[in-house]
Amino acid sequence: MKFAKEIYIVSLMFSLAFFLRGSNNIVITSLPLYVKDYFSFDPPEIGILAATISTSMLISSGIINPYFPKCRKWIVRISSIAYGIILPLISFSTSISVWLYSAIVGLAAGMIFPNVITMSSEINDRKTKERAISLYTVALSLSLIVGPYIESVILRYYPIKVVFLFFSPFGIAVAVLSFFLKFPLSSRGKVSLSVVKSLPFILAVINNTSYDVPFAAITTFAGVLEISKGISTEMVSLSFSLYFLTSFFSRTLMVVRPVNRVLIPISISLIIAFIGLLGISFSSSLFQFLLWMAILGIPHGFTYPVSLTILSRGFPDQRISAANSLFFSLMSIVAVITPLLVGYVASLVGISKSFLSLEPLVIFSLVAITILSKRSTWR
């Protein structure tokens, strides 16, 4: 009976993570191309649209979800139904309705994601619980490989406008599966100034920001950049599949060989990010673009797990919930601000040079983390 319950929880977490992340990523990466082609959105407008999705996710995950625990179950179910309905409707959107659809997709995803991972708390055995969480992250990575590949096949025969329609089964699966989620009533955890000022928290935030900013820029503007150079939308979608494939292998490596000294993968990630941003800015052929996208996937795979490792080592059990909550909120804010700033810079200097403008952040992060990590005893 216990084994059957654990299989049920793990299967549900894996399935929901796969279908939700797989379709949500298509919206994030393909919507900029869609609105540029059909509504002639310029870079600042594309940045604002991307920020709309991130802001909606921040509101639902950081405010609605933790502060309305008693009605969380019904909010999640309503959100999942809305997600299943809105996803295909994006294919029929106008230059006005696309803003509303983007906000709804963000709100729904922000409500569902935290409650999927919370399902693991229903498992009592520590090792099984950790395996469930690991499989959850595998599902996220797998969906980021499969989704763009499916999209690249669709784009061989159909325009980008109908991609969202083809992914409607993913949305339907999310809507149905969400009704099987369990909702343990968890406390909110108090966020204090001591959390913000602590060395582990500062290190985790700097590390994740160092690549969250380039990642947000890549998912929003890399496709637009390469289409402007004559690369087809089909190959752009395939490039994202390559990007997330190398990310998947990076995370798999961390599962096989857990991190001992966090400074090593952090340094590797930042050096690769610096070189990759330089390369994608000056890529002039399809091969070069695919190569640099694959290379940039490596730090994407390392950064988030390393940040979580830093937090887990630096905070006791009674404070880790508050640290994780605040960490997620700050990263969501980064995802809101980045498209706006990069979109504005792109309007001034062009999209290629806007990627180069991120290089100082990468250098600063590497120097700051190197200095700060020497003060820690657990690094």
Side-chain angles (χ1 to χ4, degrees):
M1 191 70 177
K2 177 184 176 183
F3 179 73
K5 177 185 177 182
E6 291 172 349
I7 290 294
Y8 169 81
I9 293 173
V10 170
S11 300
L12 183 59
M13 289 177 62
F14 186 95
S15 301
L16 259 171
F18 179 84
F19 289 119
L20 180 57
R21 187 66 178 111
S23 54
N24 179 252
N25 178 67
I26 293 300
V27 174
I28 292 172
T29 58
S30 296
L31 199 58
L33 306 180
Y34 174 40
V35 297
K36 180 181 181 297
D37 287 348
Y38 286 86
F39 308 134
S40 300
F41 278 25
D42 57 25
E45 289 175 313
I46 293 173
I48 295 172
L49 185 66
T52 298
I53 299 175
S54 300
T55 302
S56 301
M57 290 185 67
L58 174 62
I59 292 171
S60 56
S61 61
I63 299 176
I64 300 176
N65 187 64
Y67 286 95
F68 295 92
K70 293 184 178 179
C71 51
R72 180 187 301 153
K73 176 172 71 174
W74 292 107
I75 296 176
V76 168
R77 290 178 176 177
I78 293 171
S79 297
S80 67
I81 293 172
Y83 185 84
I85 294 172
I86 294 299
L87 186 61
L89 286 182
I90 295 176
S91 293
F92 307 99
S93 60
T94 65
S95 59
I96 303 299
S97 62
V98 71
W99 295 93
L100 175 62
Y101 295 159
S102 298
I104 294 175
V105 165
L107 284 168
M111 279 302 304
I112 301 168
F113 269 125
N115 289 288
V116 175
I117 191 63
T118 301
M119 273 281 288
S120 64
S121 64
E122 292 287 302
I123 301 174
N124 296 321
D125 181 68
R126 183 182 63 84
K127 288 186 177 180
T128 306
K129 182 186 297 185
E130 290 178 357
R131 285 175 181 155
I133 295 173
S134 296
L135 280 172
Y136 168 81
T137 62
V138 167
L140 295 177
S141 296
L142 187 62
S143 69
L144 295 175
I145 299 169
V146 174
Y149 176 76
I150 293 174
E151 183 183 24
S152 69
V153 175
I154 295 170
L155 290 173
R156 292 178 190 173
Y157 310 100
Y158 300 96
I160 195 168
K161 181 176 183 178
V162 299
V163 163
F164 312 100
L165 186 61
F166 275 97
F167 274 87
S168 57
F170 279 53
I172 293 171
V174 170
V176 173
L177 290 171
S178 69
F179 278 78
F180 296 93
L181 276 173
K182 294 183 181 296
F183 299 87
L185 193 62
S186 57
S187 60
R188 289 197 296 262
K190 297 179 180 179
V191 176
S192 64
L193 187 61
S194 61
V195 172
V196 181
K197 294 170 62 178
S198 67
L199 180 59
F201 186 81
I202 294 172
L203 279 171
V205 168
I206 293 176
N207 178 54
N208 227 68
T209 303
S210 70
Y211 198 69
D212 255 18
V213 171
F215 174 63
I218 289 166
T219 54
T220 305
F221 293 107
V224 178
L225 170 64
E226 294 313 308
I227 284 179
S228 69
K229 295 183 179 182
I231 294 176
S232 67
T233 53
E234 175 192 341
M235 295 311 299
V236 169
S237 297
L238 185 60
S239 73
F240 277 110
S241 189
L242 278 173
Y243 178 86
F244 291 119
L245 179 63
T246 53
S247 172
F248 174 79
F249 285 137
S250 298
R251 291 185 177 181
T252 301
L253 178 62
M254 289 189 65
V255 173
V256 176
R257 297 192 62 179
V259 175
N260 290 321
R261 294 176 62 87
V262 296
L263 186 59
I264 295 175
I266 289 174
S267 300
I268 293 172
S269 295
L270 290 173
I271 291 170
I272 293 175
F274 181 87
I275 297 171
L277 288 172
L278 193 66
I280 202 171
S281 298
F282 293 104
S283 63
S284 57
S285 67
L286 174 60
F287 173 77
Q288 290 178 6
F289 178 57
L290 294 177
L291 174 65
W292 291 118
M293 285 291 280
I295 289 173
L296 283 166
I298 297 172
H300 176 268
F302 280 140
T303 304
Y304 184 59
V306 169
S307 294
L308 294 182
T309 299
I310 293 172
L311 291 176
S312 66
R313 292 181 185 180
F315 289 95
D317 291 343
Q318 62 269 26
R319 298 180 67 199
I320 190 65
S321 177
N324 282 331
S325 297
L326 186 56
F327 177 76
F328 180 81
S329 298
L330 288 177
M331 291 307 102
S332 297
I333 293 172
V334 169
V336 173
I337 295 174
T338 300
L340 298 175
L341 292 179
V342 176
Y344 176 72
V345 173
S347 68
L348 298 177
V349 300
I351 297 178
S352 292
K353 292 181 180 179
S354 69
F355 282 101
L356 294 177
S357 69
L358 303 175
E359 299 284 37
L361 171 65
V362 177
I363 296 173
F364 167 80
S365 299
L366 180 59
V367 173
I369 290 174
T370 301
I371 295 173
L372 291 172
S373 64
K374 293 179 179 179
R375 295 167 47 192
S376 65
T377 57
W378 45 265
R379 63 181 184 275

